[in-house]
Amino acid sequence: MTTRGGSPTIVDVAREAGVSIKTVSRVLNHEPGVHESTRDQVLKVVEALRYRPKQSARSLAGGRSFLIGLLYYDPSALFVGSVQQGATLRCRELGYHLVVESLHNDAPDLRQQIDRMVMALRPDGMILTPPLCDNPEVLAALRESGTPCVLMSPERDIRGVPSVRMDDVHAAEEITNLLLSLGHRRIAFIKGPPDQSASAARFEGFTHALRSHDVELDPELVQPGAFTFQSGRDAAHQLLSRRQRPTAVFASNDDMALGVLAAAQRLGLSVPGELSVVGFDDSPTAALVWPPLTTVRQPVAEMARTAVEMLVFGHKADPNAPVDETELHKVLPHELVVRDSSTRAR
Amino acid sequence: MTTRGGSPTIVDVAREAGVSIKTVSRVLNHEPGVHESTRDQVLKVVEALRYRPKQSARSLAGGRSFLIGLLYYDPSALFVGSVQQGATLRCRELGYHLVVESLHNDAPDLRQQIDRMVMALRPDGMILTPPLCDNPEVLAALRESGTPCVLMSPERDIRGVPSVRMDDVHAAEEITNLLLSLGHRRIAFIKGPPDQSASAARFEGFTHALRSHDVELDPELVQPGAFTFQSGRDAAHQLLSRRQRPTAVFASNDDMALGVLAAAQRLGLSVPGELSVVGFDDSPTAALVWPPLTTVRQPVAEMARTAVEMLVFGHKADPNAPVDETELHKVLPHELVVRDSSTRAR
DNA sequence: CTGAAAGCGCTTACAG
DNA sequence: CTGAAAGCGCTTACAG
C-alpha cells in the first residue's frame, strides 16, 4: 500500500517512482527538462496508482483553478445548450471544468452574485452569452476582478475584450441570394426585435443582396417581429393577405419562420409550392416541421470551443505584448442548410 | 491597507478585527460558540474588506469542495435546461456551485471521464439525469469514489440511493380522468418507447383510469410511438384513418401531441371540435401551438432544487443512522395544465 | 536534469 | 468563548 486510506497524493507517486515530488509535478504539467526515462517511470506509477492531482491543491498553490465559468441568462435558449455542449467537451480535452451560473440580466444584486462566484472559485476565465455579454455592469465586475472573458456573439465588439461570433450580415446575404437565384423577386422580410444587433445585421444582409441584384425593396414587404413564433405568424398574416403576395418570406429566425408556416397552412397556401419560406438559426424543430425549413446554421458549439481555447491559451506570452485586435475577435464560418421549404418561384 | 495587492485573506480579516483566524473561520461557517459582539465585529470587517473565503483553500483544508456536479447526456433536452436552472439557483442560495459535464451514455471511456472529474474536483455531490442515472457503469464509478448522488427521474429506484421524481402513473391517470369527465369514451393512446420506464408508467395510469370508469380499452386505439414529433404524426395518421375514429388522443408526451395536431390539421379535422388532444411534459411550444395543448407539467426545476438540498443536507447526522428509504426517494407534485386542445365530446 | 524549502489560505483537532 | 499549531496537496521560486 502506498497510502493509508484516501486517494494517492503526489507524495505517494514520488516515493513509488523514487523521485522528488517536484519531478512528479514537472511531468504532470508537461514541463520541459525531464529525462525521458524519468518521465516514463513517473507516468507508469501515476497510471498504476490511478493518481490524479487534486484541483484544490493545484489551485491554491498555483493560482490557476482549471475552472471556466459560463454565465447565462435564458435557460430555455437552445443557444445556451449548444454553447455548453461545445464548452464542456473542449474543457474536458484541455483538463478544465465548466462551472455554470444562471443570472438575471436585471437582477439588483447581479454585481454581488458575480463577485461571489469570482472570489470563491477564481475561475481562469469566463464565457458570457447574450444578453449578459452586453451588460456593462457584468463586464465591469469581471474586468475589475481581473477575470479574462470571452464574449459570445456580443452586440458589438469591445476593444481589448476577446469575442467569438458568426457573420450575420453575410449569412443573411447568402440565404437571400439563394431565394433570388430561385427566381424570387417579391421577397418579404420579417425583422427581429430592434434591441438585438442580429436583427439589424440580418436585415442589412437582406437589403444588400437585393441591391446587388438590382431588385427594389418594397417597404410593404418588410414586417416587424420579435423572434417569437407568435410574431412570425402575425407578420405572415399581414404579408399574405396583401393584394399582391410575396413569393417568398425570409423570417430572420426559425421561430418566426415556423409561425409563417403555420399562417400559410391556415390560409391554405402550400409551402413551398405557392410560397418559399426561409429562416435563420437551424433550431432543432426546423428539420422536423413540414416542409423542413431552409435556414442558416450558427456554429454555436464551435464558437464555444473556440471561446474555451481563447481563455486557456490566451495569455500565454507576456501580457505586455501588443494585442492584435483581429486575433481577439474571431468570426466562425456558418452554414447554409437548404431543405424543402424553398423552391423555384413560378 | 490590509494587504499588499491581491484580495484579502482570512489573516487580513483577523488582524483587522483583532481576533484569531480561527474565530473568523468560526463566524464564516456559522459555528456556535462565538460571542455576539465578536461575531458582529468580524462580520463588519468581512463586509468592509469585501472578503470571501477562497474555495480552493477551504476545499483543501476542509475536505468539502462546495461543488455539485451535474452529469447529463442530451444537451438539447429541455429537461436538462430546467434541471440546471433549478440546481444553479439553489446552489447559489446555499453557497455551492454547479459544475456540468456532458457525457455520452455509451462512450467507451465513460468510466475514466467520471473518475477524472471526481478525482480532480472532489464534488460534494452529483446529480444524474436520464439516461445516465440508469447506467450501471456510471453508478458504480460514483459509488466506488464515495461521491453522494441523487438520481433525477430514474427508471426505478435503487435501495440506498437518493432520487427525486414525479408520479407519472398518477399524472397520466389524472389527465385521462379529465378526458373521461368531458364525456370521451373512445380515447386513443400513443405510447412512448419501451426502453423508457415513463412510457409504461403513463400507459398504466391511462388504463387504470379507464378501468375505474368501466370503459373498455380498444386495443386498436393504442399505438406505439418514440416520443418524437414524427412518431406522433405517424401514429395519428393510423388512428384517424380508422373507420371509427377516436374522439380524443392522449399522446404520452408533448412532441408526439404536436405531431397529432399536425396530422389532424392535414386531415382537415378541427381540434378540439372534432378531436381532443392532450400531451405530457408542458414543453415550451405546448403553449404556443394552435390550439394550445392540455398537458402535464413536470416540476423539473423543483426536482433539481430538491436534489441539491438532498446532497447538501443529506449526510448531516451520523452516517450509521438507519436510513429511511421513504425519505430517500422523493416524489414531487405535478400539475395538470388545461388549455384549449381538450373539450367536451360531442 | 533534479531536489529541498517555503508557502498558497483555509480547517481540523486540541488546548485553555 | 477563544486561540496556537499542524496540515491539507500541490506549485513557485531558488539552488545545484
Side-chain angles (χ1 to χ4, degrees), chain A residues 27 31 35 39 45 84 103 125 146 161 172 179-180 190 228 245 261 272 274 288 293 297 305 337:
Chain A
V27 172
E31 285 174 34
H35 196 90
R39 175 181 306 277
V45 176
Q84 191 167 307
L103 301 173
V161 183
L179 292 173
L180 289 165
I190 307 178
T228 62
R245 279 204 313 263
L261 251 37
E274 300 170 90
L288 293 177
L293 210 58
R297 196 181 77 83
R305 295 181 66 90
V337 183

Side-chain angles (χ1 to χ4, degrees), chain A residues 5 23 122 161 202 222 245 260 276:
Chain A
T23 294
R122 312 291 164 115
V161 183
R202 292 171 193 180
V222 177
R245 279 204 313 263
V260 175
S276 284

